[in-house]
Amino acid sequence: MSVPISLADTNGKLRTGQKAALADVLTRGIECPSAIDLQGSAYLLNDGMALVAAVGKPADAQTFRAYADRFQDAVLGAGSRTIRQVREKFNQSRHERTPYQDYSPVRRVIENKNVPLPNSWSNFLALPENKANLAKFLSEHLIANAPQEKVVVVAGGFSDGKEALSTNQLIDASLLCADHEQADTRLVLHAIVNSCDTVVVSARDTDVLLLLVAHLPSMPSPNVWMMAGTAARRKFFNIRAISENLPAGSLSALLPFRALTGCDTTSYISNHSKLSAWKTFQDKHYLLASLGEGELSANKVRDAEKFICAIYTCGHMESVNDFRVLLFSKTKKPEALPPTKDALELHIKRVHYQSLVRKQASCQDPILPNPDGMGWKRESEGGSKLVPLLMTKEPIPNACKEIISCSCKSGCTTLRCGCKKAKLFCTGVCGCSVDEKNSCKNRCDK
């Protein structure tokens, strides 16, 4: 088999899964109201491209000018009551990774506001150049048409991706200029660089929830909320209450846990949901705390492997390769096995890189290694698209592919035992080793 099926599908793409269940775990026992009373000054944070996806292609919009008006209505409408400051973030990744869905992108240059909208909105957004062009167009539109009663701050959507602009000169926009791969992390930076009493982050992504919780100690605002759901079914998450509800001492391990158990750029683990993995996290979160900090050392890799073994309930075993041998002798099902040490170490590299990105969300210019050496490779030499490097070694050594094994139930004393017939001793992969009632007589005790 050419891929580690515990981490990837047979087509070579990273396994996907459900991450929304983690929000239910984090908010268990915490009230999540449909509305909140804002105390003092407040501002709203939006992920621009997420809002683009939510707005979609309005039926009554025929041109990009009409679309920009609908988009601005959505931005300002979300904070139409007592929120006086609105911040919009757009971001384009510096590294293009292979998406989970395939589209047929069509280039449409927004030369002016009268350019007609494309027939297929999803195909239009599938092309990075289109998204960058749209982000610039919308950013300029929001700044130029901001109402006087609101302060609008826009970042990440201009020709210079680091640039941030504000309609209020009293706000030092230079503190918001950042070189970030993702809009999610830039949301955190804006939540940290503020002087308001309340911060409301509009997002539907569980990843944003975890980021806010992880970086809460750096946020000066006493009240931090995440506004999720739809207008009809709104839900507000109290970030401070969630942080206080975490297992003691686990805050630094929260983002590595998210990446290790699966996110947009790392694999989900086959047959192990985030909900089941959380049970392991509650007791062994310390094994993940140092991921995403500094260089990836052998000790960090070893601790992450121990955590994976704990997810698979390996007992006292701390090696995935050793547990693969034991588990295979019991099930003979490849999909039930943990990844090989080789595949797991590449996964841990991707986890470490993603955790580095997330843990440095408070930095304007995070320091990141080249992703080529962190579990990724270029799809073509000199190209921009990254694809995951899933393994560098065969999952089963060639010398082991024709190993003889038996499944005897009667002590392996006759030639009916395949091992004995071949004049070989029984091994750990034999079925006779699983049956505790069967005392195999064909073992090497030396």
Side-chain angles (χ1 to χ4, degrees):
M1 194 166 292
S2 59
V3 299
I5 60 174
S6 56
L7 298 174
D9 296 324
T10 54
N11 60 6
K13 292 187 177 181
L14 300 178
R15 277 192 177 275
T16 60
Q18 295 294 327
K19 57 186 176 183
L22 192 54
D24 296 332
V25 173
L26 293 173
T27 58
R28 189 173 294 158
I30 298 175
E31 182 183 4
C32 299
S34 58
I36 58 173
D37 293 325
L38 298 176
Q39 303 295 326
S41 58
Y43 75 82
L44 174 71
L45 284 167
N46 273 314
D47 176 351
M49 292 313 300
L51 189 58
V52 165
V55 171
K57 182 182 176 182
D60 60 342
Q62 302 300 318
T63 66
F64 277 96
R65 171 57 191 265
Y67 179 85
D69 289 339
R70 303 298 178 276
F71 182 83
Q72 182 171 352
D73 290 343
V75 170
L76 300 178
S80 59
R81 296 182 180 179
T82 57
I83 294 178
R84 292 291 175 262
Q85 188 177 139
V86 179
R87 300 192 183 190
E88 200 74 19
K89 265 90 35 224
F90 298 88
N91 258 67
Q92 300 298 318
S93 173
R94 68 168 68 93
H95 301 299
E96 183 186 353
R97 294 185 177 89
T98 302
Y100 290 132
Q101 292 178 298
D102 295 320
Y103 295 99
S104 300
V106 176
R107 183 73 172 110
R108 177 67 61 91
V109 179
I110 310 174
E111 296 176 333
N112 57 63
K113 62 185 180 182
N114 296 317
V115 172
L117 294 178
N119 293 327
S120 175
W121 193 242
S122 58
N123 284 349
F124 170 77
L125 293 179
L127 197 64
E129 291 87 346
N130 289 342
K131 293 173 70 173
N133 196 184
L134 179 63
K136 181 176 182 295
F137 178 77
L138 293 176
S139 297
E140 294 171 348
H141 183 87
L142 288 172
I143 291 294
N145 296 278
Q148 293 184 350
E149 68 275 12
K150 289 186 183 294
V151 176
V152 175
V153 179
V154 181
F158 301 102
S159 298
D160 180 357
K162 297 179 63 174
E163 186 177 3
L165 292 179
S166 170
T167 57
N168 188 329
Q169 295 182 351
L170 296 178
I171 294 178
D172 186 358
S174 67
L175 298 176
L176 301 172
C177 295
D179 184 20
H180 283 204
E181 281 197 4
Q182 302 163 357
D184 290 355
T185 56
R186 203 157 182 171
L187 285 170
V188 171
L189 178 63
H190 281 248
I192 292 172
V193 182
N194 85 93
S195 57
C196 292
D197 300 304
T198 301
V199 174
V200 180
V201 180
S202 178
R204 300 182 187 180
D205 196 336
T206 305
D207 290 346
V208 176
L209 177 63
L210 267 66
L211 271 168
L212 293 173
V213 173
H215 288 276
L216 181 66
S218 301
M219 299 178 189
S221 301
N223 306 300
V224 182
W225 296 85
M226 180 173 127
M227 182 173 66
T230 62
R233 301 183 64 181
R234 186 69 70 202
K235 181 184 290 188
F236 286 86
F237 295 122
N238 186 333
I239 303 303
R240 196 165 300 280
I242 294 172
S243 177
E244 294 171 352
N245 201 39
L246 289 174
S250 66
L251 192 62
S252 61
L254 189 62
L255 295 176
F257 170 80
R258 159 202 170 272
L260 188 72
T261 55
C263 65
D264 293 342
T265 57
T266 61
S267 315
Y268 284 70
I269 302 172
S270 176
N271 299 322
H272 293 275
S273 67
K274 287 188 177 288
L275 188 60
S276 63
W278 183 258
K279 298 176 182 177
T280 301
F281 178 82
Q282 291 178 300
D283 296 326
K284 298 185 181 296
H285 52 78
Y286 59 90
L287 293 172
L288 306 179
S290 61
L291 285 175
E293 298 173 6
E295 295 184 0
L296 182 61
S297 65
N299 287 337
K300 293 177 184 179
V301 173
R302 192 178 304 114
D303 283 345
E305 182 178 5
K306 291 177 183 178
F307 189 89
I308 292 295
C309 287
I311 289 178
Y312 276 88
T313 61
C314 300
H316 66 282
M317 289 188 173
E318 297 180 347
S319 166
V320 288
N321 281 352
D322 290 347
F323 188 63
R324 280 173 62 86
V325 174
L326 176 63
L327 195 58
F328 184 74
S329 69
K330 295 180 178 180
T331 68
K332 301 293 193 297
K333 296 179 180 179
E335 63 271 16
L337 304 180
T340 63
K341 186 177 183 67
D342 172 58
L344 179 60
E345 288 183 351
L346 291 168
H347 175 63
I348 293 171
K349 286 183 177 181
R350 291 190 289 272
V351 169
H352 183 68
Y353 183 87
Q354 181 61 207
S355 300
L356 279 168
V357 171
R358 296 281 166 144
K359 284 192 173 184
Q360 295 185 75
S362 59
C363 303
Q364 289 180 269
D365 294 288
I367 301 173
L368 300 172
N370 190 326
D372 291 52
M374 300 299 295
W376 295 91
K377 63 180 181 179
R378 301 287 169 179
E379 187 175 51
S380 59
E381 187 174 354
S384 62
K385 182 175 288 188
L386 292 167
V387 294
L389 178 60
L390 296 174
M391 56 192 206
T392 61
K393 300 177 183 178
E394 289 293 327
I396 302 175
N398 290 330
C400 297
K401 291 182 178 179
E402 295 184 9
I403 284 181
I404 295 174
S405 63
C406 74
S407 55
C408 300
K409 304 294 183 182
S410 57
C412 306
T413 56
T414 70
L415 293 181
R416 294 180 64 183
C417 171
C419 296
K420 192 172 183 67
K421 185 177 180 180
K423 298 181 180 181
L424 297 171
F425 290 114
C426 294
T427 66
V429 299
C430 292
C432 62
S433 65
V434 179
D435 190 351
E436 296 179 355
K437 297 179 181 180
N438 170 35
S439 179
C440 177
K441 305 297 190 300
N442 187 39
R443 288 192 173 276
C444 178
D445 297 327
K446 295 181 181 180

